[in-house]
Amino acid sequence: MGGCFSKPKPVEVKVEVVLPEKEREKEEMSPNGKASPLAYKANGTTRHYHHEERPINLNPYTNPKDMVEASVCHVKDLENGQMREVDLGCGKALLIKQNGEYYAMGHKCPHYGAPLVKGVLSRGRVRCPWHGACFNIVTGDIEDFPGLDGLPKFQVKIEKERVYIRASKQALQSQRRTKVMAKCIALSNYSTAITNMLIIGAGPAGLVCAETLRQEGFSDRIVICTSEKYLPYDRSKLSKSMDSQAEQILLRSKEFFHTYDIEVLTESQVVNVDTKSKMVVFKDGFRMEYNKLLIATGSTPKTLTCKGKELDNVFTIRTPEDANRVVKLATSRNAVIVGASFLGMEVAAYLCEKAHSVSVVELENIPFKKFFGEKVGLAIMKLFESNRVKFYMQTEVSELREQEGKLKEVVLKSGKVLRADVCVIGIGASPTTGFLKQSGVTIDSKGYIPVNKMMQTNVPSVFAAGDVVTFPLTFRNNKKVNVPHWQMAHMQGRIAALNMLAQGTEINTIPYLWTAMFGKSIRYAGNGEGFDDVIIQGDIEELKFVAFYTRRAVRSLYPNSKMTSLVDQWRNDEVIAVASMNYDPIVSKVAEVMASGKAIRKRDVETGDISWLTGKGS
């Protein structure tokens, strides 16, 4: 078994526990209501930690020389529900006024650096205008994803009708804050073949699960295992920034994992799970027992079935090396992309400036037709065609022809023959769950793992998250869905961790995704599966628009009637998803409305008046 921290020596557990105040209050009370020492089970043995054994969590910004205080505005300059980006001289902060109170925190989203002042303020949190991450205005904690870190919080005081902010220079410059975590501070004398929490898969779901366990005060052993040779990295960049090296897209550094004692076993593929004995078997025969298990193995790209599919210069983009090789082989040569999927189209867009020619082969007549609808799909197609991408629609690949062992031509069923020095397959993916067939974990006919809202499988000690699951989506009336996107994997990993700690927390989030092509971003929130109509506002030809996806919810105004009129049906059509280009922060605003539980009706958006959506939060 390979690994970053693979095959550790036998260790003894010594635990440092750092808990948030509210969690301390819960843990410090026994069932009879009296104070009790903290108790954790380490490999089956209960260990007690009294108050005096807990280290003091010092404020990391207590150095007076590191502090700055500045007057930033008059108290009347900011109305309730407003945000303002203010300059403290050595950095900026986001000043917020809500319900008569002032708050200050970092002004940039830690994910990609979006200006939060352009985001949405609602229900005590700020939602990023670009990718939908949410931050609590009181604590700065991240409450919805993507991203791993929260925001630094700053002190606000009112003096002589002026608003002052006191902040750390270091925090102003970093614009991010990692939440306090528990950790094992010394390890010796326990079997490497036993762990309390085992996480299979090192994507965002697995990583967020491990971090959440530590943030919630869990202080026993955590092991993440992955078949890849890298620490967790941002796989979404493989098709958007194909030249990136693995070390450039790591989600956390090696030092981070060492600091918080999260063990990562790389090149360690699990081939069998026995849920009765709580044992997993690795490809090299190594066995490991667990107490709680998270399955977050993601998906495996689908491949072609035709002749030539195994040629060296035919790729599914799965690793940084795959992406790097595709760029190298495509430079000044001919690239063929099979599949107008998100991955396929992002690869095509990235290769345009490097390749001599880029061709896209797709079975449908319009890219993204089933996801974005015909009009939006056509607009995207025109954008690509204006950048020299050639489409071959409503056809498939019949053969990949070689010359001296390398791909030279892609033959289509339509009879067309395309010159090709490299071919990328982007025709979808299947859940990586084959190793669970004899495990006792329920798998549906498509290979997905059904879970409940706590991300729990049919086996109480086994949880699952990310691309491998179907789960009840609250805002779609608990419709069982699979949402294989970056933000959702983060959230599911967090919910799984909370319930591995028996906190009884249900998932309640709005799916949010984005794609970037030719320097333009499409943002999307909701779940448009089965949409009946698309209402478009703005100028789709100029790629400045918002598209609302609606679905008929037939609820007759006359429940005793045997017929429901078309007018009644129209009145009850609901917006189930939204997409936009150059229309920020509309998607984040709609996501907040959906998250609040409020239904958006078709009639609300069909008139063209969407001011109620784009207005300031309250």
Side-chain angles (χ1 to χ4, degrees), residues 72-134:
V72 294
C73 70
H74 191 277
V75 291
K76 293 183 179 179
D77 290 343
L78 213 59
E79 299 292 333
N80 267 323
Q82 288 187 335
M83 301 184 289
R84 175 179 290 189
E85 197 174 274
V86 294
D87 197 333
L88 278 70
C90 58
K92 294 181 179 180
L94 183 69
L95 180 64
I96 300 164
K97 186 177 181 182
Q98 191 165 53
N99 299 325
E101 298 290 334
Y102 290 87
Y103 307 90
M105 60 187 187
H107 72 105
K108 286 185 177 181
C109 179
H111 181 226
Y112 278 10
L116 293 174
V117 71
K118 296 183 179 180
V120 178
L121 174 62
S122 175
R123 300 182 300 133
R125 65 185 191 177
V126 176
R127 185 182 284 268
C128 172
W130 290 359
H131 306 134
C134 297

Side-chain angles (χ1 to χ4, degrees), residues 35-182:
S36 168
L38 293 178
Y40 290 90
K41 287 192 175 181
N43 300 327
T45 304
T46 301
R47 302 170 61 87
H48 295 273
Y49 299 88
H50 295 269
H51 306 305
E52 60 271 17
E53 293 178 300
R54 275 197 224 103
I56 298 172
N57 181 25
L58 297 175
N59 187 331
Y61 305 124
T62 53
N63 183 355
K65 294 181 179 180
D66 182 50
M67 304 303 291
V68 61
E69 184 174 302
S71 170
V72 294
C73 70
H74 191 277
V75 291
K76 293 183 179 179
D77 290 343
L78 213 59
E79 299 292 333
N80 267 323
Q82 288 187 335
M83 301 184 289
R84 175 179 290 189
E85 197 174 274
V86 294
D87 197 333
L88 278 70
C90 58
K92 294 181 179 180
L94 183 69
L95 180 64
I96 300 164
K97 186 177 181 182
Q98 191 165 53
N99 299 325
E101 298 290 334
Y102 290 87
Y103 307 90
M105 60 187 187
H107 72 105
K108 286 185 177 181
C109 179
H111 181 226
Y112 278 10
L116 293 174
V117 71
K118 296 183 179 180
V120 178
L121 174 62
S122 175
R123 300 182 300 133
R125 65 185 191 177
V126 176
R127 185 182 284 268
C128 172
W130 290 359
H131 306 134
C134 297
F135 303 92
N136 186 293
I137 65 173
V138 176
T139 65
D141 290 346
I142 186 167
E143 294 187 340
D144 207 336
F145 301 90
L148 297 170
D149 293 320
L151 294 168
K153 273 291 298 173
F154 309 129
Q155 296 175 9
V156 181
K157 70 176 182 179
I158 309 298
E159 204 169 87
K160 295 182 180 180
E161 297 193 321
R162 298 289 302 177
V163 180
Y164 290 82
I165 295 178
R166 178 177 168 81
S168 155
K169 296 176 185 178
Q170 180 184 339
L172 285 169
Q173 292 168 5
S174 71
Q175 290 293 318
R176 64 177 63 233
R177 176 183 56 81
T178 301
K179 196 171 181 179
V180 174
M181 300 188 196

